[in-house]
Amino acid sequence: MIFSMFGGRDGSIYPPDEVGDELYRAFPDPSQIPGQAMIWFDIYFEDEADADAMADDFEARGYEINRDFDDDKDEEDLGVWNVDAQYVIKPEYRLLRAAVDEMLAKVKSQRGKLASVVISPIDGDKV
């Protein structure tokens, strides 16, 4: 892509969708993309049992999780039971896209709502 030679976003590395946008936000210089990064999912549920089931599934997979109750209902009406999950992943678009798609399907099957996905360096890594 010729535009990338002039400092623009390379669509072959950062496709024009929400995953490509997040990868670009986290690592805007392709030469600085590390071998591993963290992917973090912020998920909400109306029902505590659904949140518990999702948290149990994540723990069984070895994900780092945080589960809590958010009594501040927001305008998005995401739900009051929150499960955050994060794990290490190679920050390559196709792998990230597959992880997000898999998570969307899992969250839907558990009647949850995916509020956000964040890709970030592993603590201690410099970008």
Side-chain angles (χ1 to χ4, degrees):
M1 173 180 232
I2 210 151
F3 187 65
S4 66
M5 293 184 344
F6 299 104
R9 178 173 160 168
D10 184 337
S12 68
I13 298 171
Y14 310 105
D17 66 9
E18 67 280 357
V19 175
D21 292 347
E22 180 57 19
L23 180 59
Y24 184 72
R25 183 210 56 78
F27 307 108
D29 180 349
S31 69
Q32 296 297 312
I33 296 175
Q36 294 185 320
M38 294 299 292
I39 188 166
W40 175 75
F41 298 96
D42 185 22
I43 306 162
Y44 286 85
F45 301 87
E46 284 294 332
D47 186 53
E48 183 178 15
D50 291 335
D52 288 343
M54 185 65 82
D56 290 345
D57 182 340
F58 290 160
E59 283 183 331
R61 292 172 181 243
Y63 298 174
E64 291 180 43
I65 67 161
N66 181 40
R67 188 190 163 298
D68 62 11
F69 178 79
D70 183 3
D71 57 359
D72 291 332
K73 285 279 234 182
D74 59 15
E75 297 130 25
E76 296 177 37
D77 195 31
L78 294 170
V80 295
W81 297 99
N82 176 240
V83 177
D84 295 330
Q86 68 177 1
Y87 59 90
V88 174
I89 189 169
K90 183 176 180 179
E92 181 178 300
Y93 175 81
R94 68 177 182 78
L95 298 174
L96 296 168
R97 176 82 263 168
V100 170
D101 289 346
E102 177 184 3
M103 187 62 70
L104 285 168
K106 179 166 271 317
V107 167
K108 183 178 180 181
S109 75
Q110 290 289 344
R111 295 166 295 284
K113 295 177 184 167
L114 181 60
S116 62
V117 176
V118 176
I119 301 163
S120 63
I122 296 174
D123 288 339
D125 284 355
K126 300 217 189 249
V127 176

